[in-house]
Amino acid sequence: MIEKIQQEITRLKGLGATYVDTRWYPLEEQNYLLMWNGNLKTTASSRESGVGIRVLYKGAWGFSASSDLSNLSALYEKAFDNARIAAERVTFPVRLAEKDEIQAQFESPCQINPFDISLADKVEFLRTMDEKLNQEGVEQRISNLNFMRKKIVFLDSEGSQIEKLITEVFSSLQVTGRDADGDSHERKFNLGRQGESRGWESIDMNIFSENAERIVKELNQVLVADNCPKDDRSVILLPGIMYLQTHETIGHALELDRILGYELAYAGGSFVTLDDFGKLRYGSEKLTARADATLPNSPGSFGYDDDGIPAKDIILIDKGILVGAITGRQMVEEANARARKRIFQESGGANRATTFYRVPIERMTNINIDPGDDGTLDDIVADTEKGIILDGDRSWSIGSNREQFHFGEEIGWLVENGEITDVVKNPTHKGNTVKFWNSLSAVGNESTWQVKYVDNCGKGQPNQIMQLGHGVPACRFDNVRIGE
Amino acid sequence: MKERILQTLRALNAYAVEKGYEVVIFFHEEDSYLMRFANSAVSLNTNEHLIRLEATAYEGRKRATYEMITDLNQIEAMKQGIDFAAEMVHHAMPLSYDPTIPTLKADFIDENGYDAELAKLSNEERLAYFNQVSRNLETEDLKLGGIFSNGTNILAQINTKSEYAQYFKTSDSQVTAVLSHQKLKWEVIAEQSAQKKTDLDPEKLNRDLTFLIEHYQNDAPQQLPLASYDIVFGHAATAEMVRFMNWIGFNGGLMKRGYSFLTEEEIGQKILSEKITLKDDPTILETFPQKQDFMGIDRNPYPLFMDGVFQGFIWNQDDADEFGAEPTGHTVMHNSLVLEGGEQEIDSLQDLVKQPREKDILYIPYLHYMNIVNPSQGLITGSSRFGSLLLKADGSVVVPYNVRLTQSLLEIFGEKVAWLSNKTIPYNVSNSYGARNPIALIVPKFIRVNDLEISHANDSY
């Protein structure tokens, strides 16, 4: 197969293509189990294989994909023809940033292949969790396991050949209940990074049991709590919501294709302009954010992106100043040319496709916030006069240029004069992105830093769901509107 | 191709029967074309042809599914997929209720929604359409973006309870054309949903964009004061809100699980404005309907709200099995929602702008990134986008920076509804993360809702 692909790539180059690449997925498998109130509602496995072909011709992309490999030549011709037509409407001819010819292999850390574990063992895990969640106050209890494993062979016309084997494990627990008014409330636990590898060994019964107990207890606190007040105060975001704040108002805002207008017809743009790099005070001096695809054991670490660029650790915001973006080969060239200066030295290695039949686009890797020197969560609370601690993503809605946001959380704890007082229900917070990040007044130390996984980040047309990570500490922001 | 698909499914079914399996075999084929535009260029031109086969095996109360991407030449691999499902089901855990396996009583073939001319549009035709849409509109600062998506969708099903099969074939197209200002960052949009080639009308999109651009280039922009406004929603915003009502409103299973703002006690009660009549109407081809559900139940117009009175929940088979309800023919890929028009004679934005008015009106065509803040209260939030206008009482027009609405659907579709336009339009909300699944709603072109508060107002685009 590899030889056939190489022959076709060479053939299209002979026809005038300036660049050709192919992602061949010999195997992509998934196993998903969902238990809801003791019922194993979903027991599903899937298996896919196929190729996706990307052709650059006269500055325009063409793409085709199929699971039917019986006529590979026709598939390459289709991609070439799609590029040929696209080349009739080119305003900025696509150029690709330089890269080295790479021969490499990557395997994500996995001790125990989850696909070697019997279905009976997986069901038993969910049954045990369901029993633990089946407590007073809980009306709905949901637990799931989601395993993915994909083998990807990347070849391009620049001589690179990269083979990757990636294993992903996602799992979550959720409980919901209704308060005296009949309004439903929820509390969740999502598996994040635990240890150095991500196979069946991640499904640690002790960790899940502790968290099952915790979310049931917290749900019951919410069910009898008062509503969140509506006022301006400090908000302390725990990693369970801090990851989403980072994702939506730093991650998406700094995808270079969005900044350059490539998502304006759908997902939206960004308030960031090319002039802002090196100048814009995005946040307070306490804010340092990075796109770190080298972080061990996270879905945002994948060895090599779908341009064949090795994983990198890129600073996005350095002590509050915007300095970097989430980039791939095409966009850095276009951005530098449009800005008439070299903002980006090279691709940041963040061009990824969700599967063989989707085209790579700029996607988040691990968008992390560096831990700070404001101590533990207790230290931050003790230093807060009037505030609220927020945790758990319940709702999120962001302006089309990522300029403003509204988040709803699962639980809030009021803070008065350095002490946690009451639990409140229906907490929310909202704000303007830049003003909000500039109000960052405390960043927790390593003890508060957690890597949260995201298994469902949507972007692009046709839509693509991507897996990634966020390493974030607990953070405090001042004068934030809550309760609306 | 139809005969080959059905022959393949019958062969697989016969294999499953011979093996003693109880299996439902589901087939999905898509031939998808998408031309994407950005910065006035074709940024992506793609084609995917994919066949998915899903086998769900049953063993008493146990159920397991195996799905694969395959092609029709891979009959042995498909049989293996069925074997996998049958093997998996041994190890599944019994449900607390009896899952129903569909009993098809006859073959059901529906190709009425298929138009070969739309499905097989060429690259050249897609490009020509967009060139026509953007004629005389692009400048150094104003750049074209959007998509032209079209394709064929085939769904088919067979199961071991009978030899009969279902087969649905549709064509669809979704067009979005956006002109965005590179420096100021405003965007205006025109969209079209097509079920057949003759639905495509690039000139209309060109007219709509021309009208909006004129206002965005010439009228003063403004940050709106936080206050209550009389709002006219365009069809995209209305469709999005109705779609949310579909999730957290009249779905029986979600109601039982606590994710609905409606209760069983409210059946027969007036919940919304008497101007609101909402149905699931699979007779309308523009909604890409299924006229029979996957359980073999024939689908007919199904009232949800009549003059604001809640008629009842919809039940898919699995929820009906679990909660002891009667299935309502809603075991489908998607519903065919139709919000009936009213009496206001307004056909276009141009008509709305020209109309005399006693108060300022905020026109919101589109709600971006809507989400549910509190499902029990029907509380949603989202931001305006793509061409909002503030129509001043004195006849002038102001371009407002985007605003956020955080409101209950009960409030939006409640007594504050002033009028609905008499003209309706199909609005395409297809958003396929995985397999192609064309969805469109029929909604009034405009709805006016008085006295709605905005919760945030941007100070720039």
PDB file of all heavy atoms in Angstrom, chain B residues 75-96:
ATOM      1  N   ILE B  75     -18.253  -7.788   1.383  1.00  0.00           N
ATOM      2  CA  ILE B  75     -19.355  -8.542   1.991  1.00  0.00           C
ATOM      3  C   ILE B  75     -18.874  -9.413   3.159  1.00  0.00           C
ATOM      4  O   ILE B  75     -19.540  -9.514   4.188  1.00  0.00           O
ATOM      5  CB  ILE B  75     -20.115  -9.376   0.922  1.00  0.00           C
ATOM      6  CG1 ILE B  75     -21.407  -9.947   1.476  1.00  0.00           C
ATOM      7  CG2 ILE B  75     -19.255 -10.462   0.316  1.00  0.00           C
ATOM      8  CD1 ILE B  75     -22.563  -9.024   1.389  1.00  0.00           C
ATOM      9  N   GLU B  76     -17.695  -9.996   3.004  1.00  0.00           N
ATOM     10  CA  GLU B  76     -17.193 -10.856   4.086  1.00  0.00           C
ATOM     11  C   GLU B  76     -16.863 -10.026   5.333  1.00  0.00           C
ATOM     12  O   GLU B  76     -17.133 -10.447   6.458  1.00  0.00           O
ATOM     13  CB  GLU B  76     -15.957 -11.649   3.625  1.00  0.00           C
ATOM     14  CG  GLU B  76     -16.260 -12.745   2.620  1.00  0.00           C
ATOM     15  CD  GLU B  76     -17.400 -13.669   3.081  1.00  0.00           C
ATOM     16  OE1 GLU B  76     -17.383 -14.107   4.254  1.00  0.00           O
ATOM     17  OE2 GLU B  76     -18.317 -13.914   2.271  1.00  0.00           O
ATOM     18  N   ALA B  77     -16.300  -8.830   5.117  1.00  0.00           N
ATOM     19  CA  ALA B  77     -16.000  -7.954   6.260  1.00  0.00           C
ATOM     20  C   ALA B  77     -17.296  -7.521   6.943  1.00  0.00           C
ATOM     21  O   ALA B  77     -17.366  -7.399   8.174  1.00  0.00           O
ATOM     22  CB  ALA B  77     -15.212  -6.743   5.792  1.00  0.00           C
ATOM     23  N   MET B  78     -18.332  -7.291   6.152  1.00  0.00           N
ATOM     24  CA  MET B  78     -19.614  -6.894   6.742  1.00  0.00           C
ATOM     25  C   MET B  78     -20.202  -8.038   7.573  1.00  0.00           C
ATOM     26  O   MET B  78     -20.749  -7.822   8.651  1.00  0.00           O
ATOM     27  CB  MET B  78     -20.588  -6.469   5.637  1.00  0.00           C
ATOM     28  CG  MET B  78     -20.218  -5.146   4.991  1.00  0.00           C
ATOM     29  SD  MET B  78     -21.541  -4.541   3.926  1.00  0.00           S
ATOM     30  CE  MET B  78     -20.763  -4.601   2.345  1.00  0.00           C
ATOM     31  N   LYS B  79     -20.072  -9.239   7.051  1.00  0.00           N
ATOM     32  CA  LYS B  79     -20.555 -10.397   7.826  1.00  0.00           C
ATOM     33  C   LYS B  79     -19.788 -10.502   9.144  1.00  0.00           C
ATOM     34  O   LYS B  79     -20.367 -10.799  10.193  1.00  0.00           O
ATOM     35  CB  LYS B  79     -20.385 -11.695   7.013  1.00  0.00           C
ATOM     36  CG  LYS B  79     -21.404 -11.848   5.898  1.00  0.00           C
ATOM     37  CD  LYS B  79     -21.135 -13.133   5.131  1.00  0.00           C
ATOM     38  CE  LYS B  79     -22.128 -13.301   3.992  1.00  0.00           C
ATOM     39  NZ  LYS B  79     -21.779 -14.447   3.119  1.00  0.00           N
ATOM     40  N   GLN B  80     -18.505 -10.230   9.053  1.00  0.00           N
ATOM     41  CA  GLN B  80     -17.667 -10.273  10.260  1.00  0.00           C
ATOM     42  C   GLN B  80     -18.142  -9.214  11.274  1.00  0.00           C
ATOM     43  O   GLN B  80     -18.157  -9.469  12.477  1.00  0.00           O
ATOM     44  CB  GLN B  80     -16.230  -9.992   9.859  1.00  0.00           C
ATOM     45  CG  GLN B  80     -15.231 -10.632  10.763  1.00  0.00           C
ATOM     46  CD  GLN B  80     -13.811 -10.371  10.258  1.00  0.00           C
ATOM     47  OE1 GLN B  80     -13.512  -9.324   9.671  1.00  0.00           O
ATOM     48  NE2 GLN B  80     -12.942 -11.320  10.485  1.00  0.00           N
ATOM     49  N   GLY B  81     -18.541  -8.054  10.747  1.00  0.00           N
ATOM     50  CA  GLY B  81     -19.081  -7.002  11.614  1.00  0.00           C
ATOM     51  C   GLY B  81     -20.331  -7.460  12.343  1.00  0.00           C
ATOM     52  O   GLY B  81     -20.519  -7.171  13.533  1.00  0.00           O
ATOM     53  N   ILE B  82     -21.170  -8.191  11.633  1.00  0.00           N
ATOM     54  CA  ILE B  82     -22.381  -8.726  12.261  1.00  0.00           C
ATOM     55  C   ILE B  82     -22.001  -9.757  13.327  1.00  0.00           C
ATOM     56  O   ILE B  82     -22.575  -9.800  14.420  1.00  0.00           O
ATOM     57  CB  ILE B  82     -23.305  -9.332  11.176  1.00  0.00           C
ATOM     58  CG1 ILE B  82     -23.848  -8.205  10.290  1.00  0.00           C
ATOM     59  CG2 ILE B  82     -24.448 -10.118  11.810  1.00  0.00           C
ATOM     60  CD1 ILE B  82     -24.533  -8.680   9.030  1.00  0.00           C
ATOM     61  N   ASP B  83     -21.011 -10.572  13.003  1.00  0.00           N
ATOM     62  CA  ASP B  83     -20.516 -11.547  13.992  1.00  0.00           C
ATOM     63  C   ASP B  83     -20.001 -10.822  15.247  1.00  0.00           C
ATOM     64  O   ASP B  83     -20.253 -11.274  16.371  1.00  0.00           O
ATOM     65  CB  ASP B  83     -19.377 -12.389  13.409  1.00  0.00           C
ATOM     66  CG  ASP B  83     -19.864 -13.365  12.342  1.00  0.00           C
ATOM     67  OD1 ASP B  83     -21.061 -13.704  12.348  1.00  0.00           O
ATOM     68  OD2 ASP B  83     -19.040 -13.759  11.500  1.00  0.00           O
ATOM     69  N   PHE B  84     -19.280  -9.716  15.042  1.00  0.00           N
ATOM     70  CA  PHE B  84     -18.755  -8.963  16.188  1.00  0.00           C
ATOM     71  C   PHE B  84     -19.900  -8.495  17.084  1.00  0.00           C
ATOM     72  O   PHE B  84     -19.842  -8.613  18.307  1.00  0.00           O
ATOM     73  CB  PHE B  84     -17.963  -7.734  15.718  1.00  0.00           C
ATOM     74  CG  PHE B  84     -16.542  -8.023  15.321  1.00  0.00           C
ATOM     75  CD1 PHE B  84     -16.007  -7.454  14.180  1.00  0.00           C
ATOM     76  CD2 PHE B  84     -15.734  -8.851  16.081  1.00  0.00           C
ATOM     77  CE1 PHE B  84     -14.701  -7.710  13.794  1.00  0.00           C
ATOM     78  CE2 PHE B  84     -14.430  -9.115  15.704  1.00  0.00           C
ATOM     79  CZ  PHE B  84     -13.909  -8.545  14.551  1.00  0.00           C
ATOM     80  N   ALA B  85     -20.946  -7.921  16.452  1.00  0.00           N
ATOM     81  CA  ALA B  85     -22.089  -7.431  17.237  1.00  0.00           C
ATOM     82  C   ALA B  85     -22.722  -8.576  18.011  1.00  0.00           C
ATOM     83  O   ALA B  85     -23.065  -8.437  19.193  1.00  0.00           O
ATOM     84  CB  ALA B  85     -23.104  -6.761  16.314  1.00  0.00           C
ATOM     85  N   ALA B  86     -22.876  -9.717  17.335  1.00  0.00           N
ATOM     86  CA  ALA B  86     -23.503 -10.883  17.988  1.00  0.00           C
ATOM     87  C   ALA B  86     -22.634 -11.390  19.136  1.00  0.00           C
ATOM     88  O   ALA B  86     -23.153 -11.854  20.158  1.00  0.00           O
ATOM     89  CB  ALA B  86     -23.724 -11.988  16.955  1.00  0.00           C
ATOM     90  N   GLU B  87     -21.326 -11.288  18.976  1.00  0.00           N
ATOM     91  CA  GLU B  87     -20.425 -11.714  20.045  1.00  0.00           C
ATOM     92  C   GLU B  87     -20.477 -10.721  21.215  1.00  0.00           C
ATOM     93  O   GLU B  87     -20.532 -11.116  22.387  1.00  0.00           O
ATOM     94  CB  GLU B  87     -18.988 -11.808  19.478  1.00  0.00           C
ATOM     95  CG  GLU B  87     -17.900 -12.069  20.497  1.00  0.00           C
ATOM     96  CD  GLU B  87     -18.089 -13.375  21.268  1.00  0.00           C
ATOM     97  OE1 GLU B  87     -18.784 -14.267  20.751  1.00  0.00           O
ATOM     98  OE2 GLU B  87     -17.563 -13.467  22.400  1.00  0.00           O
ATOM     99  N   MET B  88     -20.485  -9.436  20.863  1.00  0.00           N
ATOM    100  CA  MET B  88     -20.510  -8.406  21.905  1.00  0.00           C
ATOM    101  C   MET B  88     -21.757  -8.527  22.786  1.00  0.00           C
ATOM    102  O   MET B  88     -21.694  -8.322  24.002  1.00  0.00           O
ATOM    103  CB  MET B  88     -20.504  -6.997  21.269  1.00  0.00           C
ATOM    104  CG  MET B  88     -19.132  -6.522  20.812  1.00  0.00           C
ATOM    105  SD  MET B  88     -19.286  -5.070  19.749  1.00  0.00           S
ATOM    106  CE  MET B  88     -19.951  -3.870  20.878  1.00  0.00           C
ATOM    107  N   VAL B  89     -22.877  -8.845  22.152  1.00  0.00           N
ATOM    108  CA  VAL B  89     -24.135  -8.809  22.904  1.00  0.00           C
ATOM    109  C   VAL B  89     -24.159  -9.864  24.026  1.00  0.00           C
ATOM    110  O   VAL B  89     -24.820  -9.682  25.047  1.00  0.00           O
ATOM    111  CB  VAL B  89     -25.356  -8.938  21.953  1.00  0.00           C
ATOM    112  CG1 VAL B  89     -25.603 -10.387  21.539  1.00  0.00           C
ATOM    113  CG2 VAL B  89     -26.602  -8.327  22.588  1.00  0.00           C
ATOM    114  N   HIS B  90     -23.395 -10.942  23.839  1.00  0.00           N
ATOM    115  CA  HIS B  90     -23.317 -11.955  24.920  1.00  0.00           C
ATOM    116  C   HIS B  90     -22.839 -11.307  26.217  1.00  0.00           C
ATOM    117  O   HIS B  90     -23.245 -11.701  27.306  1.00  0.00           O
ATOM    118  CB  HIS B  90     -22.302 -13.059  24.574  1.00  0.00           C
ATOM    119  CG  HIS B  90     -22.740 -13.958  23.469  1.00  0.00           C
ATOM    120  ND1 HIS B  90     -24.029 -14.400  23.323  1.00  0.00           N
ATOM    121  CD2 HIS B  90     -22.034 -14.509  22.453  1.00  0.00           C
ATOM    122  CE1 HIS B  90     -24.109 -15.185  22.256  1.00  0.00           C
ATOM    123  NE2 HIS B  90     -22.911 -15.264  21.705  1.00  0.00           N
ATOM    124  N   HIS B  91     -21.905 -10.347  26.068  1.00  0.00           N
ATOM    125  CA  HIS B  91     -21.248  -9.772  27.244  1.00  0.00           C
ATOM    126  C   HIS B  91     -21.903  -8.487  27.725  1.00  0.00           C
ATOM    127  O   HIS B  91     -21.455  -7.893  28.701  1.00  0.00           O
ATOM    128  CB  HIS B  91     -19.768  -9.511  26.922  1.00  0.00           C
ATOM    129  CG  HIS B  91     -19.069 -10.721  26.403  1.00  0.00           C
ATOM    130  ND1 HIS B  91     -18.776 -11.790  27.209  1.00  0.00           N
ATOM    131  CD2 HIS B  91     -18.647 -11.052  25.159  1.00  0.00           C
ATOM    132  CE1 HIS B  91     -18.186 -12.725  26.474  1.00  0.00           C
ATOM    133  NE2 HIS B  91     -18.100 -12.297  25.229  1.00  0.00           N
ATOM    134  N   ALA B  92     -22.921  -8.033  27.015  1.00  0.00           N
ATOM    135  CA  ALA B  92     -23.602  -6.806  27.436  1.00  0.00           C
ATOM    136  C   ALA B  92     -24.432  -7.084  28.686  1.00  0.00           C
ATOM    137  O   ALA B  92     -24.612  -8.240  29.087  1.00  0.00           O
ATOM    138  CB  ALA B  92     -24.487  -6.288  26.314  1.00  0.00           C
ATOM    139  N   MET B  93     -24.918  -6.017  29.307  1.00  0.00           N
ATOM    140  CA  MET B  93     -25.710  -6.181  30.529  1.00  0.00           C
ATOM    141  C   MET B  93     -27.182  -5.987  30.173  1.00  0.00           C
ATOM    142  O   MET B  93     -27.511  -5.107  29.376  1.00  0.00           O
ATOM    143  CB  MET B  93     -25.270  -5.105  31.529  1.00  0.00           C
ATOM    144  CG  MET B  93     -25.539  -5.463  32.951  1.00  0.00           C
ATOM    145  SD  MET B  93     -24.821  -4.191  34.024  1.00  0.00           S
ATOM    146  CE  MET B  93     -26.214  -3.145  34.288  1.00  0.00           C
ATOM    147  N   PRO B  94     -28.074  -6.769  30.730  1.00  0.00           N
ATOM    148  CA  PRO B  94     -29.493  -6.611  30.364  1.00  0.00           C
ATOM    149  C   PRO B  94     -30.020  -5.240  30.766  1.00  0.00           C
ATOM    150  O   PRO B  94     -29.667  -4.702  31.814  1.00  0.00           O
ATOM    151  CB  PRO B  94     -30.198  -7.707  31.160  1.00  0.00           C
ATOM    152  CG  PRO B  94     -29.144  -8.614  31.643  1.00  0.00           C
ATOM    153  CD  PRO B  94     -27.873  -7.836  31.720  1.00  0.00           C
ATOM    154  N   LEU B  95     -30.877  -4.692  29.905  1.00  0.00           N
ATOM    155  CA  LEU B  95     -31.581  -3.459  30.233  1.00  0.00           C
ATOM    156  C   LEU B  95     -32.675  -3.781  31.250  1.00  0.00           C
ATOM    157  O   LEU B  95     -33.053  -4.947  31.432  1.00  0.00           O
ATOM    158  CB  LEU B  95     -32.213  -2.869  28.967  1.00  0.00           C
ATOM    159  CG  LEU B  95     -31.228  -2.444  27.865  1.00  0.00           C
ATOM    160  CD1 LEU B  95     -31.941  -2.321  26.520  1.00  0.00           C
ATOM    161  CD2 LEU B  95     -30.578  -1.119  28.231  1.00  0.00           C
ATOM    162  N   SER B  96     -33.224  -2.751  31.874  1.00  0.00           N
ATOM    163  CA  SER B  96     -34.298  -2.989  32.842  1.00  0.00           C
ATOM    164  C   SER B  96     -35.665  -3.046  32.148  1.00  0.00           C
ATOM    165  O   SER B  96     -36.694  -3.101  32.786  1.00  0.00           O
ATOM    166  CB  SER B  96     -34.300  -1.868  33.887  1.00  0.00           C
ATOM    167  OG  SER B  96     -34.564  -0.630  33.259  1.00  0.00           O
TER     168      SER B  96
END
